[in-house]
Amino acid sequence: MKKKLTSSVQIILLLALTAVGLAGQSYPGKPKIIRCRSLEKETFSCWWKPGSDGGLPTNYTLFYSKDSEEKIYECPDYRTSGPNSCYFDKNHTNPWTTYNITVMATSEIGCNSSDPQYVDVTSIVQPDAPVNLSLETKTSASIMYLWAKWSPPSLADVSSNSHVYQYELRLKPEEKEEWETISVGMQTQYKGIRLQAGVKYVVQVRCMLDLGEWSEWSSERRIQIPNGESPPAKPTIIKCRSPEKETFTCWWKPGPDGGHPANYTLLYSKEGEEQVYECPDYRTAGPNSCYFDKKHTSFWTIYNITVRATNEMGSNVSDPHYVDVTYIVQPDPPVNVTLELKKPTNRKPYLVLTWSPPPLADVRSGWLTLEYELRLKPEEGEEWETIFVGQQTQYKMFSLNPGKKYIVQIHCKPDHHGSWSEWSSEKYIHIPTDFRVKDMVVWIVVGVLSSLICLIMSWTMVLKGYRMIAFILPPVPGPKIKGIDTHLLETGKSEELLSALGCHGFPPTSDCDELLIEYLEVEDSEDQQLMPSHDNGHPCKNAKMIPKETDSDSGRGSCDSPSLLSEKCRESRTLPSTIQTQDVRDVQENKGGRRSWETQCVASEQKILLFNNESTKSSTWPAAQLPNNQPAMFAYHSTVDAHKITLSTTNVNIASVLVGNEEKHQSQYSVTETVHDNTEKQREMENLHSKTDQITVQVKQNRSNDKSPFLNPKLMDYVEVHKVRQDEEPAVLLKHKENSGKTEKYTVPGTSKEYTKVSTVVDHNILVLMPDSRIQHTPVSQEPAMETSQHLQQGQTEKNMSYCLTVPSECRREISGSEYMNPSSFMPSFK
Amino acid sequence: CHTSGMLTPNGKEYAQKIPREELTHLILKLLQAWKEPLSHFNQHIEHHRELPVDSLSKAKQISNMVHELKTGVEKSMGIISNSLNAMASSEAAGLSVSNEANMMSDSDFIHCFRRDSNKVQSYLKILKCRIMPENSC
């Protein structure tokens, strides 16, 4: 009945609630039991989670029943465990009972209940985590330990002594992820684990009752382990090397030593043996090394080497290193790197690089064979050129550029099973360029010299260009009328003419006097040779000068050009145009300069031979008279055997005297006596040279019986004066040159020419005589008689045959009366 | 290695102390000891298809070289019948040795051969510089 009642009430309520719910409110949601837990098996609690409340305030009630009983109880305590929980205390907890628990949510509209939960107390036991965890480090026997302490979880109404918990601890270094878990047992403390120095550790504990589950981990505790309190780290073996295949060394690298200095020991054992040895020598090779000397080195066996590091906290061993000495050979670099420059003949110089093997390597016995390699680069270059040399200890380098700097290095390695040595120290190569420099110097010197020469030449050209040019390129003679300046002739002024003749001293001045006087000394002594003196050439100098001055319009090569005379004078230094002067000069070589001679020489084209009658002298130079007379005195010298022929001329006779000429000259010479067509220089010379007599011919005006020496310039075409007639028609007979001096020869066939005219005076030592055709004499041989010279008349219209006494047959004939002048015509004017 | 039993000088001084003939003998003994194992090895690796052809030809080449070297040493040292007897006896010993060699692994074989060839080379060089010191010694 009750049930029916309650159920009907519920239905009504539900209906009401739904009615209400239909009006906007709903049923409460279904709650859910989350969990039930017992802390110590004597009490337990359940918590639920409410569903949606449907908008209306909801009450929650918990109902439970035990095992299969039907009695439903309500939760005794809703508060102790917090909201939405139910706490079953001791009295209501039966550990061996299964509880059926449901939660009902009730609101105005209706109610809702959760699913029933069957709870067995024993299975829900889970203690709380331990509390008060504390950590400490403890050091005992130089070893560091961790000491952890904690307390069991607190229980409100239960005495903690009756419960026995099992504990568990876990720790890890702070940075790491993995925990190390340790079962502690029932104690609430723990001592253990070696900890690393300098590491921070995180520790947690948890507990468990003998049945049930582990509690949660307690909160973390951290602890820092202080430094310097740990064994050393593991060392590592770096390398082992043998420098000469007789000993070897091993090096290792220590790890962090954990705070305390560590001792290292190297231990090794050989292949096939069990025994372990310790390193024989720790010092020779430096720190952290072991040196095996010859006794301890075996080849073709494998060594097992380890290194142990030990300190107060402990020790550590490296990994083993296996070594066969045969394969670890690394030599030292080569030494004594030397360079030698070789300069073979006819070849480019090359460089020879030599070196020696490292001192320790025993190459001589063949135990160790080394191969070499060198590398080369220009000093400024970047890349090395590597050259494999082989087993030689020298290398020839041909391909280096002179003047550049190179760097070279060498290294070596065993011919098999080994490694390359270090590179030797850098060696600098400097290729000399001296041979080049020498070439340059030579060229520079040559250049300087040539430039100097050019400068000098140009300078001289500038200064004396004209003369040099004249010297090098003699002016080509143009056709010229020899002798007289036509202009002057045209003008007809005698004075000017005379002056034009260049005799400003024509009326002989005092100088002339001297000159003439001097000239008069010529005599016909044998010894005296009226040789044309090779005087220092005062006259000749003058002669030279004069012709130059008068040369302007004279052409060379004409027989009676003044130049010819000058030439002759120059060449042979023979008679100047004035024979007199020549004579005088001959005689008195030292008589000063023949100034008057000069003046004579300065004469114009026509040279006037002055015959001097020097009275004072034995030579019958009527010199003194000359100045008075101012006749054209012509004297020439010829070698006539012991004849003195004096020509006296009433007038100025111009006797042309043949003068020796050179081949190139063609002068007209009229020979008084003889004419040579072909004159030979030598003969002339001979004739002239072999003088025994001097004959001076004096042609002078108003003179008679005057002896005047003849001066025959000693030039090629000398003519001997055969005789001089002094009669009305004074003429000079000249011998043919070909005469040996005494005999006559006449080139003129059949006739001996008398020369009564002086056509020109060449230079001033050559008289050019012209024959007088009117006067024909039969050849007179060696007429000793002196004949007075002819009066050579001017203006004779006879055919002027003038013969060149010059050798060359190019003698020209001057056939022109105007070509010569008989100064006698105007002589008087000068008186 | 199968030749480990042979007493060979393992240092320069020892090698230089030994008289020439003995050293020569030693060299020949070594060379002889490898003759058989080498040929066996060649046969062995021919069946290895995975090896490159170069290796096979190289191995054959090496065996030939060892043989030629042995012949050359014999000739140059003027070894004649006396040593031939010695060779014969050592050959007998070598046979047992070669069995051991057959059991080696390939890598051990190569390792041992490398070592022994180095030994032979070093001994020959010492001999050469003893006999003819001029040439690059």
Side-chain angles (χ1 to χ4, degrees):
Chain A
M1 289 254 322
K2 263 193 184 174
K3 279 188 185 174
K4 282 187 184 175
L5 197 71
T6 51
S7 62
S8 63
V9 169
Q10 282 175 358
I11 292 165
I12 292 165
L13 277 171
L14 277 169
L15 284 171
L17 278 171
T18 43
V20 172
L22 287 172
Q25 290 167 339
S26 64
Y27 237 46
K30 192 171 169 180
K32 188 179 174 190
I33 297 173
I34 305 169
R35 75 171 196 191
C36 297
R37 195 176 85 155
S38 167
L39 284 176
E40 71 291 280
K41 213 166 51 175
E42 289 172 7
T43 63
F44 72 101
S45 302
C46 283
W47 289 267
W48 65 85
K49 177 184 163 194
S52 63
D53 63 353
L56 291 171
T58 315
N59 276 338
Y60 292 92
T61 51
L62 187 142
F63 299 101
Y64 71 92
S65 66
K66 291 187 186 177
D67 288 328
S68 310
E69 292 174 6
E70 292 208 5
K71 187 172 181 183
I72 297 179
Y73 302 95
E74 196 183 337
C75 171
D77 185 348
Y78 286 102
R79 294 191 185 171
T80 308
S81 300
N84 296 326
S85 71
C86 176
Y87 175 70
F88 294 85
D89 59 6
K90 247 190 199 175
N91 301 329
H92 293 93
T93 307
N94 197 349
W96 295 278
T97 314
T98 306
Y99 288 79
N100 184 355
I101 300 173
T102 54
V103 176
M104 183 176 300
T106 313
S107 71
E108 292 173 1
I109 299 173
C111 60
N112 206 344
S113 71
S114 68
D115 295 331
Q117 178 102 359
Y118 296 96
V119 174
D120 190 357
V121 179
T122 54
S123 65
I124 56 166
V125 174
Q126 184 188 31
D128 276 335
V131 293
N132 297 337
L133 179 62
S134 69
L135 300 174
E136 278 175 30
T137 57
K138 281 230 163 147
T139 309
S140 86
S142 313
I143 297 178
M144 187 167 282
Y145 295 98
L146 177 71
W147 191 24
K149 278 199 294 195
W150 60 89
S151 303
S154 61
L155 294 172
D157 51 355
V158 181
S159 63
S160 53
N161 289 333
S162 61
H163 292 95
V164 177
Y165 292 95
Q166 295 271 347
Y167 297 99
E168 204 175 68
L169 184 139
R170 70 174 187 185
L171 80 161
K172 70 169 172 124
E174 194 177 26
E175 302 84 22
K176 294 213 178 150
E177 301 279 335
E178 288 197 9
W179 291 96
E180 190 181 351
T181 311
I182 305 154
S183 284
V184 181
M186 289 182 287
Q187 295 176 9
T188 56
Q189 62 174 7
Y190 169 71
K191 273 188 196 175
I193 300 188
R194 297 181 204 178
L195 299 175
Q196 283 188 354
V199 181
K200 201 172 191 182
Y201 285 94
V202 178
V203 182
Q204 282 178 324
V205 288
R206 68 178 178 182
C207 60
M208 182 178 82
L209 285 171
D210 51 358
L211 48 86
E213 294 177 14
W214 281 102
S215 69
E216 297 294 327
W217 286 102
S218 69
S219 54
E220 291 180 353
R221 284 287 182 268
R222 288 177 154 79
I223 185 163
Q224 170 82 37
I225 312 296
N227 254 335
E229 303 292 338
S230 79
K234 199 155 78 169
T236 48
I237 296 179
I238 308 171
K239 68 171 181 180
C240 296
R241 282 286 178 267
S242 168
E244 80 289 68
K245 207 176 166 188
E246 291 169 36
T247 67
F248 73 105
T249 314
C250 284
W251 291 270
W252 65 84
K253 178 183 166 194
D257 64 353
H260 291 265
N263 268 339
Y264 295 92
T265 52
L266 186 141
L267 305 165
Y268 70 94
S269 67
K270 287 192 192 175
E271 174 186 354
E273 294 175 16
E274 295 292 337
Q275 187 175 357
V276 176
Y277 306 91
E278 193 183 339
C279 171
D281 186 342
Y282 286 105
R283 295 203 175 178
T284 308
N288 295 329
S289 71
C290 176
Y291 172 74
F292 293 83
D293 60 1
K294 283 187 190 176
K295 290 178 195 168
H296 295 92
T297 311
S298 307
F299 293 88
W300 304 298
T301 45
I302 295 181
Y303 283 71
N304 179 351
I305 300 176
T306 54
V307 177
R308 159 164 273 153
T310 314
N311 73 352
E312 291 147 351
M313 309 295 294
S315 67
N316 222 333
V317 178
S318 69
D319 296 330
H321 191 247
Y322 297 100
V323 155
D324 188 339
V325 186
T326 335
Y327 307 134
I328 55 165
V329 181
Q330 183 187 28
D332 295 326
V335 295
N336 289 344
V337 183
T338 54
L339 292 162
E340 198 184 326
L341 184 69
K342 292 219 171 153
K343 299 182 188 177
T345 52
N346 302 329
R347 270 200 273 159
K348 204 175 152 190
Y350 61 92
L351 205 65
V352 179
L353 189 68
T354 53
W355 58 88
S356 16
L360 293 174
D362 185 3
V363 190
R364 305 192 70 218
S365 68
W367 179 245
L368 179 65
T369 312
L370 294 172
E371 292 177 335
Y372 302 94
E373 192 178 69
L374 63 87
R375 67 178 186 181
L376 189 67
K377 76 166 180 175
E379 192 176 23
E380 315 82 17
E382 300 226 346
E383 283 202 6
W384 291 93
E385 184 191 343
T386 314
I387 302 165
F388 182 76
V389 178
Q391 294 180 6
Q392 314 172 41
T393 56
Q394 61 155 21
Y395 184 70
K396 293 182 191 171
M397 292 192 274
F398 294 97
S399 61
L400 296 171
N401 294 328
K404 266 193 165 182
K405 241 189 172 182
Y406 288 90
I407 307 178
V408 69
Q409 283 181 315
I410 311 175
H411 70 170
C412 56
K413 111 174 160 73
D415 58 344
H416 60 278
H417 303 312
S419 44
W420 287 102
S421 71
E422 297 291 330
W423 287 102
S424 67
S425 57
E426 293 187 339
K427 192 84 181 171
Y428 289 90
I429 299 175
H430 185 71
I431 315 287
T433 55
D434 48 3
F435 48 92
R436 281 255 183 113
V437 170
K438 280 178 196 165
D439 285 346
M440 291 278 291
V441 167
V442 165
W443 283 115
I444 288 169
V445 166
V446 166
V448 166
L449 280 176
S450 53
S451 60
L452 274 175
I453 290 169
C454 282
L455 272 173
I456 291 168
M457 283 187 66
S458 56
W459 184 244
T460 43
M461 288 289 283
V462 166
L463 284 181
K464 301 181 182 176
Y466 177 71
R467 282 180 69 181
M468 286 191 61
I469 289 169
F471 181 71
I472 295 170
L473 305 169
V476 178
K480 227 195 90 139
I481 296 169
K482 41 186 185 292
I484 296 172
D485 183 8
T486 51
H487 289 302
L488 284 176
L489 280 179
E490 284 164 11
T491 53
K493 292 200 175 172
S494 55
E495 294 88 344
E496 289 174 14
L497 262 174
L498 276 178
S499 62
L501 286 175
C503 302
H504 20 269
F506 180 61
T509 58
S510 57
D511 289 343
C512 286
D513 282 353
E514 294 172 6
L515 199 62
L516 294 173
I517 290 171
E518 290 165 356
Y519 291 143
L520 283 174
E521 282 195 5
V522 178
E523 60 196 13
D524 85 358
S525 60
E526 288 81 359
D527 17 22
Q528 282 209 349
Q529 296 184 354
L530 290 181
M531 290 301 302
S533 63
H534 295 281
D535 204 355
N536 33 351
H538 297 157
C540 269
K541 270 188 201 165
N542 308 330
K544 277 180 196 168
M545 280 165 46
I546 290 163
K548 279 206 175 158
E549 294 164 29
T550 56
D551 241 1
S552 56
D553 54 353
S554 71
R556 300 198 187 211
S558 56
C559 288
D560 54 350
S561 65
S563 59
L564 185 57
L565 283 171
S566 67
E567 287 272 335
K568 294 204 193 264
C569 171
R570 259 205 301 269
E571 288 191 6
S572 59
R573 315 277 176 118
T574 54
L575 292 177
S577 56
T578 58
I579 295 176
Q580 293 169 341
T581 57
Q582 180 75 23
D583 234 357
V584 173
R585 185 180 57 227
D586 288 341
V587 173
Q588 300 168 352
E589 294 181 1
N590 296 329
K591 300 281 170 154
R594 315 285 155 234
R595 305 299 169 272
S596 57
W597 167 247
E598 287 179 6
T599 60
Q600 304 294 336
C601 291
V602 178
S604 63
E605 301 130 37
Q606 290 202 349
K607 304 281 166 98
I608 303 170
L609 282 178
L610 290 173
F611 285 106
N612 263 343
N613 286 331
E614 199 178 280
S615 57
T616 58
K617 309 259 174 105
S618 56
S619 61
T620 57
W621 282 104
Q625 299 169 5
L626 265 180
N628 302 329
N629 292 336
Q630 307 174 4
M633 304 293 263
F634 300 93
Y636 59 91
H637 171 67
S638 71
T639 56
V640 176
D641 8 303
H643 285 150
K644 269 195 185 174
I645 303 171
T646 57
L647 286 176
S648 62
T649 58
T650 55
N651 294 327
V652 174
N653 291 330
I654 301 171
S656 63
V657 175
L658 284 174
V659 187
N661 74 354
E662 297 98 18
E663 290 142 35
K664 52 183 173 177
H665 293 294
Q666 303 162 3
S667 57
Q668 293 183 0
Y669 295 101
S670 50
V671 183
T672 53
E673 229 181 41
T674 58
V675 175
H676 290 276
D677 282 336
N678 300 317
T679 59
E680 297 170 20
K681 223 188 213 181
Q682 289 158 357
R683 249 181 257 171
E684 259 187 283
M685 302 301 256
E686 285 169 16
N687 292 335
L688 291 169
H689 284 295
S690 62
K691 298 191 175 54
T692 52
D693 295 327
Q694 302 172 356
I695 298 179
T696 58
V697 175
Q698 181 184 14
V699 176
K700 64 173 184 182
Q701 269 186 346
N702 304 329
R703 289 278 168 183
S704 61
N705 298 328
D706 282 336
K707 295 186 181 176
S708 57
F710 283 86
L711 256 183
N712 207 356
K714 167 193 138 188
L715 289 176
M716 276 65 68
D717 292 312
Y718 280 156
V719 175
E720 283 185 6
V721 175
H722 181 56
K723 58 183 178 182
V724 177
R725 281 195 329 219
Q726 289 182 345
D727 48 353
E728 290 183 346
E729 295 179 68
V732 175
L733 295 176
L734 296 177
K735 286 192 182 170
H736 194 274
K737 283 198 178 97
E738 286 151 9
N739 287 345
S740 58
K742 300 208 174 176
T743 58
E744 281 186 358
K745 259 199 211 167
Y746 302 100
T747 54
V748 177
T751 57
S752 65
K753 295 285 178 183
E754 293 176 353
Y755 292 84
T756 57
K757 290 186 204 169
V758 174
S759 69
T760 53
V761 175
V762 177
D763 283 351
H764 16 266
N765 50 358
I766 302 172
L767 263 183
V768 180
L769 299 173
M770 287 183 55
D772 192 352
S773 58
R774 293 181 304 170
I775 302 169
Q776 297 291 334
H777 291 272
T778 55
V780 179
S781 57
Q782 300 185 351
E783 288 181 12
M786 306 273 239
E787 297 181 9
T788 57
S789 60
Q790 293 282 335
H791 166 64
L792 300 179
Q793 296 193 357
Q794 178 189 19
Q796 288 175 348
T797 57
E798 68 271 8
K799 191 165 71 170
N800 293 335
M801 292 176 52
S802 54
Y803 296 81
C804 285
L805 290 180
T806 61
V807 173
S809 56
E810 308 122 310
C811 252
R812 278 187 253 141
R813 297 181 178 187
E814 283 295 309
I815 309 177
S816 160
S818 64
E819 294 168 357
Y820 82 96
M821 225 175 84
N822 190 352
S824 59
S825 61
F826 46 82
M827 271 309 250
S829 63
F830 286 107
K831 284 184 183 172
Chain B
C1 299
H2 65 287
T3 51
S4 307
M6 290 204 296
L7 277 175
T8 53
N10 56 3
K12 183 178 98 170
E13 284 75 19
Y14 304 125
Q16 284 179 325
K17 279 181 197 163
I18 297 182
R20 276 200 324 210
E21 292 77 17
E22 201 175 318
L23 192 59
T24 316
H25 204 71
L26 209 58
I27 293 168
L28 289 171
K29 223 161 98 174
L30 272 172
L31 290 170
Q32 177 65 31
W34 277 99
K35 190 170 156 190
E36 176 63 37
L38 270 173
S39 62
H40 182 81
F41 182 75
N42 281 335
Q43 288 170 9
H44 178 62
I45 61 168
E46 265 180 21
H47 300 295
H48 278 238
R49 294 293 172 88
E50 63 268 16
L51 286 174
V53 183
D54 296 340
S55 312
L56 297 177
S57 60
K58 196 75 176 177
K60 279 196 192 147
Q61 193 182 359
I62 289 173
S63 333
N64 291 338
M65 275 160 64
V66 167
H67 178 72
E68 282 173 21
L69 185 62
K70 177 164 163 285
T71 320
V73 171
E74 282 173 357
K75 283 186 184 168
S76 65
M77 296 304 160
I79 315 271
I80 28 180
S81 57
N82 287 344
S83 59
L84 279 179
N85 294 335
M87 284 294 120
S89 61
S90 70
E91 271 191 57
L95 278 174
S96 59
V97 170
S98 65
N99 283 335
E100 191 182 309
N102 296 340
M103 291 192 292
M104 276 192 291
S105 69
D106 290 342
S107 61
D108 286 343
F109 179 87
I110 290 172
H111 163 79
C112 291
F113 180 68
R114 183 193 190 207
R115 166 190 288 181
D116 282 346
S117 59
N118 194 303
K119 259 192 201 174
V120 166
Q121 183 178 20
S122 301
Y123 296 152
L124 277 172
K125 278 196 185 146
I126 289 181
L127 261 185
K128 174 196 131 192
C129 282
R130 251 201 247 175
I131 293 170
M132 293 184 297
E134 310 84 34
N135 302 340
S136 68
C137 276

